[in-house]
Amino acid sequence: MQFLSNTNYDFIKWRWHALALSAIVVIAGLGVMAARGGLPLGIDFSGGTIVVVKFDQPVTEDQVRRAVEVIPGEKVVQAYGDAGDNEILIRLPQTGKEEGFTLEEGAKQLLAAVEAANIGKFDVLSTEVVGPVIGADLQRRGIFAAFASILGITLYIALRFRPSFAAGAIVATFHDILVTLAFLSFFGYDLSLNVVAALLTIIGYSVNDTIVIFDRVRENFRSMRRDSLEHIVNTSVNQTLGRTVITAGTTLLSVVALYLFGGEVLEAFAFT
């Protein structure tokens, strides 16, 4: 780790390049989300039925999609698990008002339609149903959790440092969230409870790193009064660079392991 000690990189020199790259990513992500009508909500928030089936022989998504065409509503059919596992995920959004009855019937109708299509024998690996009332409540709670955390962080930084520091931290945090949402839209992930948990984790990591650097900036302001702001910021970032890289690096190793070996349940969390 010697290359991280006594560094003197000119980070401020590249700020406009970094801002341009971030702007391109965020604008592209917003464009993709707008074209798709927003970031798709997972079943946790939208309500509906998800059934995962495993066929005894290879079956294409188009075959399953044609099999469930008899069921009204917009359905999502996609491959699930590793290639060669012959697993298919079928999602049927909630459309009726009778929550329990409609959801249970949705799962039964999906399985009956696939069986009637005679495209092969299959086993049901999992069935997940969430009512629209529960989904709407989880959606409200997820939004509240995100904004409550950001508000609490803003107040802490404003009191601990100064209001201008708080403004900078919030801008940086929203930047990290927007970039993350952009990549979620690029790769077609739904907004689920796991993704919201990952976003809250990102907020914590982002602000934690920001506070460490701000604390060093504040100390350097006292001892480097005659130096320019750019020089003070560069010095502060270089002084905390080793800590930043080690923290981010160990976290990266953990989430890569979760992404590769954690299974489908943790994939969206680890990717986020």
Side-chain angles (χ1 to χ4, degrees):
M1 304 301 290
Q2 292 300 315
F3 71 98
L4 294 177
S5 61
N6 300 319
T7 58
N8 190 29
Y9 301 117
D10 190 357
F11 291 101
I12 298 298
K13 175 183 177 181
W14 300 98
R15 65 186 182 275
W16 298 116
H17 302 79
L19 285 171
L21 178 60
S22 292
I24 291 172
V25 171
V26 171
I27 292 173
L30 293 175
V32 171
M33 283 188 278
R36 296 177 178 174
L39 194 65
L41 295 178
I43 191 173
D44 298 327
F45 297 132
S46 62
T49 305
I50 288 182
V51 178
V52 179
V53 296
K54 180 179 177 64
F55 287 89
D56 294 339
Q57 66 286 324
V59 174
T60 65
E61 296 174 42
D62 288 335
Q63 287 178 293
V64 179
R65 196 171 287 115
R66 287 193 295 268
V68 298
E69 282 181 351
V70 295
I71 302 175
E74 184 179 354
K75 296 161 289 293
V76 176
V77 178
Q78 63 188 61
Y80 191 79
D82 297 329
D85 286 349
N86 302 325
E87 296 177 6
I88 299 291
L89 181 147
I90 311 169
R91 172 180 170 181
L92 180 66
Q94 169 66 25
T95 55
K97 294 182 179 180
E98 299 179 18
E99 179 181 339
F101 175 79
T102 304
L103 291 172
E104 291 179 4
E105 285 300 313
K108 294 178 181 178
Q109 289 176 9
L110 282 175
L111 297 175
V114 175
E115 187 174 0
N118 197 28
I119 57 178
K121 294 183 179 180
F122 62 88
D123 294 318
V124 180
L125 297 183
S126 64
T127 302
E128 182 179 358
V129 292
V130 176
V133 175
I134 297 175
D137 182 59
L138 291 174
Q139 187 175 346
R140 286 192 300 270
R141 290 173 182 266
I143 294 173
F144 174 78
F147 280 99
S149 64
I150 292 175
L151 177 61
I153 290 166
T154 303
L155 293 175
Y156 170 78
I157 296 177
L159 296 173
R160 183 72 172 79
F161 298 95
R162 60 180 67 173
S164 59
F165 278 32
I170 295 307
V171 170
T173 302
F174 272 109
H175 160 269
D176 294 346
I177 293 174
L178 289 174
V179 169
T180 305
L181 291 176
F183 275 93
L184 288 172
S185 65
F186 294 155
F187 288 88
Y189 283 93
D190 293 345
L191 186 63
S192 63
L193 283 177
N194 279 349
V195 171
V196 170
L199 288 172
L200 292 173
T201 307
I202 288 172
I203 291 173
Y205 268 92
S206 175
V207 173
N208 181 54
D209 200 40
T210 301
I211 289 174
V212 169
I213 296 173
F214 278 179
D215 191 55
R216 189 57 58 90
V217 169
R218 183 178 59 177
E219 292 178 2
N220 288 334
F221 260 128
R222 298 169 181 170
S223 59
M224 304 167 61
R225 295 181 181 275
R226 297 186 178 184
D227 292 299
S228 65
L229 175 63
E230 288 80 4
H231 179 69
I232 293 175
V233 171
N234 258 330
T235 301
S236 302
V237 175
N238 276 283
Q239 289 173 344
T240 56
L241 184 60
R243 179 259 177 205
T244 300
V245 172
I246 292 171
T247 302
T250 52
T251 304
L252 177 63
L253 293 175
S254 301
V255 296
V256 166
L258 284 176
Y259 185 82
L260 294 177
F261 308 113
E264 297 289 340
V265 175
L266 294 177
E267 180 183 329
F269 176 87
F271 178 87
T272 306

